Amino acid sequence: MRKIYNKIQNISGNVISVKASDVSYEELAEITTQRGKSLAQVIKMDDENVSLQVFTGSRGVSINDEVRFLGRPMEVTFSDNMLGRIFDGAGSPRDKGPLLTENLIPVAGPSVNPSKRIIPRRMIRTNIPMIDVFNSLVVSQKLPIFSVSGEPYNELLARIALQAEVDMIILGGIGLKYDEYMKFKNTLESGGALSRSIFFMNTASDPIVESLMVPDLSLAVAEKFALKGKDVLVLLTDMTNFADAMKEIAITMEQVPSNRGYPGDLYTQLAARYEKAVDFDDAGSITILAVTTMPGDDVTHPVPDNTGYITEGQFYLHNGYIDPFGSLSRLKQQVNSADQSRKDHRAIMDGMIQLYAQFMETEEKRAMGFRMSGWDQKLLKYGGMFRSQMMDLSVNIPLEEALDRGWEIMAKCFTPEETRMRTELIKEFWPKNTDQ
Amino acid sequence: MSPSTGKIVGISGNMVTVEFDGNIMQNEVAYILKGEERLKSEIVRIGDSVAFMQVFESTKGLKIGDKVEFSGELLSVQLGPGLLGQVYDGLQNPLPDLAEEYGFFLPRGVELKALDDERKWKFTPVANKGDTVIQGMLLGHVPEGIFEHAIMVPFHLPGEYTVEDIAAEGEYAIKETIAKIKDEKGNTHEISMTFNWPVKIPIEAYRDKIVPEEPLVTQARIIDTFFPVAKGGTFCIPGPFGAGKTVLQHILSRHAQVDVVIVAACGERAGEVVELLREFPELEDPRTGKTLMERTIIICNTSSMPVAAREASVYTAVTLGEYYKQMGLDVLLLADSTSRWAQAMRELSGRLEEIPGEEAFPAYLESRIAEFYERSGLMELNSGEYGSLTIGGTVSPAGGNFEEPVTQATLKVVGAFLGLSRDRANARRFPSIHPLESWSKYESFIDQKNIDEATDKLRRGNDVNQMMMVVGEEGTSIEDFQLYLKSEFLDSVYLQQNAFDEVDAATNKERQTHVFQRVQQVLDTDFHLESKDQARDLFNRLRQLFIDWNYAKMDSPDFKQIEESIEKLIKEHSENEENLQ
Ligand SMILES: Nc1ncnc2c1ncn2[C@@H]1O[C@H](COP(=O)(O)OP(=O)(O)OP(=O)(O)O)[C@@H](O)[C@H]1O
Ligand SMILES: [Mg+2]
């Protein structure tokens, strides 16, 4: 039987401290307050003084409340029974299903030995042309959606999750609005994907400290499934809330902030999670798609900035479109070469974006009142078609169809030479009998 | 003296405080004993009867009272034959060996041998019995990869020695004695082919440090021609995320004309290292015909590996660099990213509750960065030969803003600044080194006067472009327009380089000199142009020709042919056609 302490020395923010002995670093404890029981985790030890962050927050904790150390670090159950289930940030069921206590595994385990990783070479098809054609998603990629709040990023996540040919989906909700959570649930349910999904859900009304656990729980479970050969897609939304929760604890612990109040280890903390993305030699994989909302639409804000330095590209969601310029999949060249994809894939990708860039310049010129030449008119027509038939998020077509559509759009707007496409490709792919 | 011991009295993140008995020293290595595990740590501060230690591993599960064993040694790396081609973590544990023994995940509290004790090397003695030698001098050598690995008098032995005995030519393992040398007091020292060196102390077993002047040919045109790096010099590559720092360093690691490359992947993505790991053993080094891996050492402490080991990893890398430099070789150290190293210092400093400086970096940030780059250099060795260590580090400034402590501290000490620009990267103009903001204090193999002229055109053309944004093409004179087209031309055919094209990826000195003359000819020619459309058309054609030219092998008939077409096109359109003939 572990010893019980009931003299809390200090309560500050969501951190309490007690005098205790024989405690392990990062060990869990259970606190019983008049509001009920809560988990807490050791975050600092100084001789007898042990500081713990309280998962449900310190509100209502009294100095005589009981603190019982559990003799184990944060763990989570792992089994096939988790599929279709919904858990909270402490790993307890938040649906009406049974408590799962079998096969506990530690969270935030060691990192993968880099020499055991392989170069990722499998494309994840999403049927969204702005992704498949222009910034292909690759198995084991870690990629955030950068956007301001209000954009349909969660819809986009849910849609990719449904479309992607992965074995299972783990959704980590971090401070997610309740209706967004419900929307996710309904979308996956109606898409028939709930039975291959697991939710770790911390909503906006749940304790903020618990949200800190969500990425670790999601990724620990994902890792086990991946080792069993499963291709797992992990969705984390919204990682800015995660960073903010860390900021809060850091300030409580009187850590010196480095940048706009965020702790100096923000990069390390985010990287520890994102780097769990992996394609195992001879086993499965973890792909991470996250949402990073940008406060004030400012990409230099510490959260998107540190994220960008960690992830393998990003999708910018602007006015309901995936912006073709800021968006980048750093792994796309691993999957879109002539021997892996259709041989016009790279040419369409580069060519159409260059033309779209010219269209943007023309549009700027038009806005400034400059005269529009014949070439400008063509570009304007092209830009409109590109937006409505490629960029629009309602477009839902396979990669090959999107490439064909690319040629059609170009043929409706330009002569072959004007597109600067290679002659060889034009011969093969330029649509016959089109009316310009 | 038996090593001191202690016990843990406090834990915060990767920092533990330890009560100790006996003598300990700053930067001494200690081990926390946790069952079978031995968690390596380093003393970073000594206070009133407590030592503060950074732990190179996760501290999860440690308890107050856990035992600590001090080693009496500073944090060191092992030097000797067999380093080339290795992939180490920040503390010199071979990662492939760890994988073989422990599988997918990095184990905690394990140390593996950096070098193979059993492998035999063919030793050829050079020194003779009776010779007088000092530290760093050659005793013999063994073949390693592409050259002779020098077996030297260890760098920690001061003073003069007489060679008493030296092994005959033959096969030896690294720990076997290959020489006995006697110091001035008559004590004999047994020398093997390997010894340890503390990573945070520069190796200074050389005669003199000389001002670096000879260009290090990177085969990247914008660097070699416009912002050159000297052998033994330093440079930095700051840039926002996604601007191309890592890709540029990978290009350098492949094509730079040096003997040894050390890649320090410091706190960045594991996936990027995997590309090197998997590709270098397959790629041929055109200088030697061997694989690139045989001239490379990879130090890999990626972002999810322990932070304290990240701090150590750059020192590990630079020490290995110094060691090969001591053999009279040209070594290039590429560190990606030094900002992650600086952040590791910041995390440590925060845990030590030191008074923070700007953006919470410690006050000693600047001096640490300076000390690191100071370990570069061109040295006259004790043997009279020359060796060089060139250091290039990427910097990842917060928010992409160069006005931040790490970039600023780095700019104070480096010899060349290759600043990457977000705009150029977005416009896919690679390498995205900003041609108007970057600088170098070293000399190029191309005449400075010519470079200045080209840069001037670039600047003026850029000004015209800015103005055109406001007044439109109509409001721009044809002369100005030509200037603008020339600057664009220089950019697209010379500054930009296609890393994925076999030929264009690397341009050697001879070819750069040759091509630059032609580029200059275009820049210097007053083209006879009637209209802007005609001007644009001419420059489009020139650009296309030059790009095709860049893709042609220099000894191919294509190369000659395209050059003739270029000459012809220039002649056709130059104003003083008659004078030129
Ligand atoms: N020389 C180049 N040629 C072609 N593409 C390039 C080049 N350099 C960079 N890129 C493109 O830009 C992307 C980002 O480059 P890179 O990974 O080098 O950025 P970085 O500056 O190291 O970013 P971070 O700070 O996030 O690590 C690459 O994935 C590639 O698509
Ligand atoms: Mg990089």
Side-chain angles (χ1 to χ4, degrees):
Chain A
M1 190 61 215
R2 304 273 311 177
K3 213 169 154 193
I4 293 171
Y5 297 87
N6 49 15
K7 184 136 178 48
I8 294 174
Q9 305 277 317
N10 202 323
I11 303 176
S12 157
N14 291 321
V15 178
I16 61 163
S17 63
V18 289
K19 278 202 188 307
S21 59
D22 201 27
V23 173
S24 297
Y25 194 60
E26 291 185 13
E27 181 173 341
L28 285 186
E30 193 175 72
I31 302 177
T32 311
T33 71
Q34 45 176 328
R35 289 190 304 142
K37 286 182 194 291
S38 168
L39 288 178
Q41 186 182 30
V42 175
I43 54 174
K44 187 175 175 170
M45 299 198 292
D46 191 1
D47 254 334
E48 297 236 279
N49 300 309
V50 178
S51 306
L52 302 109
Q53 56 183 15
V54 184
F55 285 12
T56 58
S58 62
R59 202 167 301 150
V61 176
S62 80
I63 54 169
N64 292 326
D65 282 344
E66 196 179 284
V67 180
R68 188 168 66 91
F69 286 90
L70 302 180
R72 60 174 177 89
M74 187 69 189
E75 288 171 328
V76 62
T77 170
F78 163 68
S79 72
D80 285 340
N81 297 336
M82 299 179 83
L83 291 165
R85 297 291 309 272
I86 299 172
F87 303 88
D88 66 13
S92 317
R94 69 177 291 157
D95 54 13
K96 303 208 169 64
L99 188 68
L100 298 179
T101 49
E102 77 238 89
N103 199 15
L104 292 175
I105 55 165
V107 306
S111 31
V112 172
N113 186 327
S115 71
K116 287 297 267 184
R117 287 175 180 258
I118 51 177
I119 300 183
R121 302 240 185 250
R122 292 183 285 155
M123 189 190 296
I124 296 183
R125 287 169 172 256
T126 66
N127 286 6
I128 299 169
M130 292 317 289
I131 298 177
D132 294 357
V133 177
F134 297 99
N135 279 302
S136 318
L137 188 63
V138 180
V139 167
S140 89
Q141 190 157 20
K142 40 189 179 283
L143 199 121
I145 298 169
F146 282 176
S147 107
V148 290
S149 37
E151 294 279 347
Y153 42 80
N154 284 328
E155 283 83 344
L156 182 59
L157 271 195
R159 189 169 150 206
I160 295 173
L162 275 185
Q163 211 88 249
E165 289 168 334
V166 291
D167 298 323
M168 50 181 295
I169 300 158
I170 297 183
L171 172 67
I174 305 152
L176 197 63
K177 283 205 209 81
Y178 193 78
D179 53 340
E180 297 278 335
Y181 156 43
M182 279 306 158
K183 261 197 267 174
F184 260 112
K185 201 173 145 204
N186 295 337
T187 315
L188 292 186
E189 199 157 26
S190 59
L194 212 52
S195 59
R196 54 186 174 99
S197 306
I198 301 171
F199 284 27
F200 288 95
M201 189 53 58
N202 168 268
T203 68
S205 56
D206 296 328
I208 185 166
V209 182
E210 255 177 36
S211 77
L212 280 172
M213 289 294 138
V214 168
D216 287 340
L217 294 172
S218 307
L219 292 162
V221 172
E223 194 163 79
K224 283 286 178 198
F225 277 108
L227 284 169
K228 290 192 139 193
K230 297 270 190 275
D231 286 321
V232 188
L233 176 64
V234 177
L235 310 173
L236 298 172
T237 175
D238 166 353
M239 286 298 277
T240 303
N241 292 337
F242 173 75
D244 287 345
M246 263 188 326
K247 173 165 96 174
E248 206 179 294
I249 294 288
I251 289 173
T252 307
M253 295 301 290
E254 295 177 357
Q255 281 181 29
V256 185
S258 66
N259 209 330
R260 293 197 229 180
Y262 289 91
D265 64 355
L266 179 62
Y267 174 87
T268 304
Q269 295 294 350
L270 288 173
R273 275 77 190 187
Y274 282 114
E275 283 281 312
K276 288 278 175 195
V278 64
D279 196 353
F280 285 115
D281 216 346
D282 301 327
S285 66
I286 301 176
T287 307
I288 303 179
L289 272 181
V291 166
T292 300
T293 47
M294 299 186 288
D297 203 8
D298 176 12
V299 70
T300 70
H301 179 279
V303 180
D305 185 49
N306 278 285
T307 304
Y309 275 121
I310 292 162
T311 52
E312 289 153 337
Q314 64 280 329
F315 294 151
Y316 274 93
L317 199 58
H318 265 320
N319 305 323
Y321 292 117
I322 297 178
D323 186 330
F325 298 116
S327 300
L328 174 70
S329 160
R330 300 201 195 186
L331 300 185
K332 65 182 170 193
Q333 58 269 26
Q334 316 279 21
V335 296
N336 64 13
S337 69
D339 43 341
Q340 292 158 311
S341 182
R342 219 167 80 174
K343 72 171 173 226
D344 56 335
H345 187 157
R346 282 192 183 170
I348 288 279
M349 172 181 93
D350 290 334
M352 289 196 86
I353 293 297
Q354 275 163 15
L355 288 166
Y356 188 72
Q358 291 187 46
F359 153 75
M360 295 287 281
E361 278 175 25
T362 294
E363 209 176 43
E364 214 169 285
K365 276 197 278 179
R366 184 173 64 170
M368 290 172 74
F370 289 119
R371 192 171 48 83
M372 292 288 97
S373 66
W375 173 241
D376 288 329
Q377 300 294 354
K378 287 183 170 191
L379 285 171
L380 290 174
K381 178 174 175 192
Y382 169 78
M385 290 179 82
F386 187 78
R387 270 196 189 150
S388 62
Q389 299 182 27
M390 282 285 201
M391 284 173 67
D392 199 291
L393 279 182
S394 67
V395 180
N396 188 348
I397 49 175
L399 169 66
E400 290 71 19
E401 205 178 318
L403 294 174
D404 291 340
R405 183 175 287 187
W407 287 105
E408 275 158 33
I409 294 174
M410 287 194 292
K412 287 203 173 105
C413 303
F414 307 110
T415 64
E417 307 77 62
E418 283 169 340
T419 64
R420 295 202 194 177
M421 289 292 198
R422 281 207 314 278
T423 325
E424 174 212 336
L425 291 174
I426 287 175
K427 272 203 193 118
E428 189 172 341
F429 292 103
W430 194 263
K432 319 288 176 254
N433 54 39
T434 44
D435 43 335
Q436 252 203 51
Chain B
M1 184 188 78
S2 72
S4 311
T5 55
K7 64 177 182 26
I8 294 182
V9 294
I11 307 172
S12 164
N14 65 347
M15 170 75 58
V16 300
T17 34
V18 175
E19 238 173 46
F20 61 92
D21 308 314
N23 187 23
I24 61 169
M25 65 182 156
Q26 175 75 330
N27 297 112
E28 178 173 344
V29 169
Y31 293 90
I32 298 166
L33 310 182
K34 190 81 195 162
E36 292 282 282
E37 298 172 326
R38 293 167 60 80
L39 275 58
K40 194 167 181 170
S41 336
E42 180 189 13
I43 299 176
V44 290
R45 184 206 276 174
I46 301 173
D48 286 343
S49 77
V50 288
F52 295 79
M53 314 199 309
Q54 61 172 340
V55 187
F56 296 122
E57 313 256 11
S58 157
T59 51
K60 201 189 234 175
L62 295 185
K63 288 184 175 176
I64 302 296
D66 279 346
K67 283 230 164 52
V68 175
E69 193 181 283
F70 295 91
S71 70
E73 312 250 336
L74 297 176
L75 183 66
S76 300
V77 289
Q78 188 183 5
L79 303 175
L83 293 166
L84 289 180
Q86 294 267 16
V87 182
Y88 290 124
D89 73 4
L91 302 172
Q92 215 194 7
N93 290 298
L95 288 171
D97 296 1
L98 281 175
E100 204 165 297
E101 232 167 284
Y102 297 92
F104 282 124
F105 297 96
L106 292 168
R108 185 171 84 162
V110 169
E111 265 186 305
L112 291 185
K113 285 191 182 113
L115 294 174
D116 185 349
D117 280 352
E118 262 138 55
R119 178 169 169 190
K120 298 274 187 189
W121 296 85
K122 187 166 178 294
F123 176 76
T124 307
V126 172
N128 295 306
K129 248 185 230 177
D131 282 358
T132 305
V133 291
I134 59 172
Q135 52 177 217
M137 275 170 89
L138 195 63
L139 294 170
H141 47 72
V142 299
E144 183 187 20
I146 50 176
F147 45 71
E148 300 295 338
H149 182 117
I151 305 299
M152 298 171 274
V153 178
F155 310 143
H156 49 74
L157 296 179
E160 283 191 354
Y161 299 82
T162 313
V163 178
E164 270 195 326
D165 199 5
I166 183 131
E169 185 170 314
E171 303 271 326
Y172 302 89
I174 51 172
K175 290 209 165 148
E176 287 180 59
T177 303
I178 51 94
K180 289 183 183 151
I181 59 177
K182 198 164 73 183
D183 63 24
E184 284 137 310
K185 291 190 191 126
N187 301 321
T188 300
H189 304 255
E190 294 194 350
I191 308 293
S192 71
M193 294 197 273
T194 182
F195 59 94
N196 290 352
W197 184 264
V199 293
K200 291 187 177 165
I201 297 178
I203 294 173
E204 284 171 341
Y206 50 81
R207 210 176 276 166
D208 226 342
K209 193 164 170 173
I210 304 161
V211 180
E213 272 169 1
E214 189 195 336
L216 185 160
V217 179
T218 66
Q219 307 206 68
R221 291 187 292 260
I222 184 169
I223 299 180
D224 294 347
T225 302
F226 287 86
F227 311 110
V229 174
K231 280 182 183 165
T234 52
F235 62 100
C236 68
I237 308 175
F241 68 76
K245 299 179 292 295
T246 304
V247 173
L248 182 57
Q249 283 217 336
H250 285 193
I251 292 170
L252 297 178
S253 70
R254 279 176 194 215
H255 301 298
Q257 296 183 334
V258 294
D259 300 311
V260 173
V261 175
I262 297 174
V263 177
C266 171
E268 294 284 305
R269 302 171 189 81
E272 294 168 344
V273 189
V274 177
E275 284 177 33
L276 297 185
L277 294 186
R278 305 271 167 179
E279 285 170 4
F280 271 31
E282 315 285 317
L283 291 172
E284 193 194 273
D285 176 4
R287 293 172 80 226
T288 60
K290 303 254 179 143
T291 73
L292 274 178
M293 202 63 209
E294 285 174 74
R295 71 164 198 178
T296 310
I297 305 173
I298 298 175
I299 309 293
C300 167
N301 215 99
T302 54
S303 57
S304 63
M305 288 160 77
V307 174
R310 187 201 297 171
E311 195 258 348
S313 69
V314 300
Y315 294 104
T316 297
V318 76
T319 308
L320 299 184
E322 286 177 331
Y323 176 60
Y324 279 96
K325 175 207 72 191
Q326 287 292 139
M327 297 178 202
L329 299 170
D330 291 323
V331 184
L332 172 62
L333 165 61
L334 298 166
D336 183 17
S337 157
T338 60
S339 294
R340 306 301 162 220
W341 165 55
Q343 288 180 343
M345 282 193 256
R346 176 167 73 186
E347 286 184 33
L348 174 66
S349 166
R351 304 234 188 252
L352 284 171
E353 296 176 8
E354 293 171 339
I355 297 169
E358 212 182 324
E359 289 182 23
F361 283 107
Y364 46 79
L365 175 75
E366 256 186 43
S367 60
R368 290 281 165 83
I369 290 176
E371 280 161 21
F372 170 66
Y373 282 102
E374 270 304 300
R375 291 176 74 167
S376 68
L378 170 66
M379 276 76 162
E380 185 184 347
L381 305 171
N382 289 340
S383 60
E385 283 186 82
Y386 293 87
S388 73
L389 171 61
T390 309
I391 301 181
T394 67
V395 187
S396 317
N401 179 1
F402 292 174
E403 300 298 317
E404 57 88 46
V406 184
T407 315
Q408 289 304 313
T410 307
L411 286 178
K412 278 191 192 162
V413 294
V414 293
F417 160 56
L418 311 176
L420 302 194
S421 127
R422 156 78 64 225
D423 288 346
R424 286 181 71 82
N426 281 350
R428 321 298 294 158
R429 294 179 179 222
F430 291 118
S432 57
I433 298 170
H434 200 297
L436 296 175
E437 282 166 17
S438 303
W439 48 257
S440 167
K441 295 176 182 166
Y442 306 113
E443 244 172 67
S444 164
F445 48 69
I446 287 173
D447 202 346
Q448 190 59 41
K449 188 173 117 311
N450 298 339
I451 298 167
D452 290 345
E453 279 175 19
T455 307
D456 181 57
K457 293 244 161 57
L458 205 60
R459 194 180 306 279
R460 282 163 49 211
N462 185 58
D463 292 345
V464 173
N465 190 22
Q466 300 286 321
M467 216 171 56
M468 270 199 302
M469 305 264 199
V470 185
V471 299
E473 223 172 275
E474 299 104 277
T476 308
S477 75
I478 185 111
E479 289 75 27
D480 279 355
F481 193 63
Q482 190 177 139
L483 198 56
Y484 157 70
L485 289 173
K486 280 179 177 169
S487 70
E488 279 293 298
F489 165 82
L490 171 62
D491 191 348
S492 49
V493 310
Y494 200 82
L495 303 184
Q496 293 171 45
Q497 204 168 341
N498 184 349
F500 299 111
D501 180 81
E502 203 193 323
V503 178
D504 198 31
T507 311
N508 64 22
K509 177 176 166 184
E510 183 198 355
R511 182 168 181 152
Q512 280 188 49
T513 316
H514 185 85
V515 172
F516 190 69
Q517 275 177 357
R518 281 280 172 237
V519 169
Q520 234 186 329
Q521 191 189 352
V522 172
L523 298 180
D524 290 345
T525 305
D526 263 327
F527 290 101
H528 184 66
L529 297 164
E530 309 260 293
S531 70
K532 287 183 189 135
D533 281 344
Q534 195 202 359
R536 200 194 310 271
D537 180 62
L538 170 66
F539 276 90
N540 273 342
R541 280 158 67 199
L542 279 170
R543 186 187 62 203
Q544 198 59 49
L545 278 172
F546 267 86
I547 288 179
D548 289 345
W549 200 32
N550 283 340
Y551 291 160
K553 286 212 169 83
M554 203 173 175
D555 53 10
S556 69
D558 268 5
F559 187 86
K560 267 223 169 68
Q561 216 181 337
I562 299 169
E563 184 163 22
E564 279 160 18
S565 312
I566 290 172
E567 262 183 297
K568 192 155 148 268
L569 189 60
I570 297 176
K571 256 196 198 139
E572 273 170 21
H573 289 270
S574 58
E575 250 174 347
N576 310 320
E577 211 173 311
E578 305 79 40
N579 302 350
L580 278 173
Q581 279 164 357

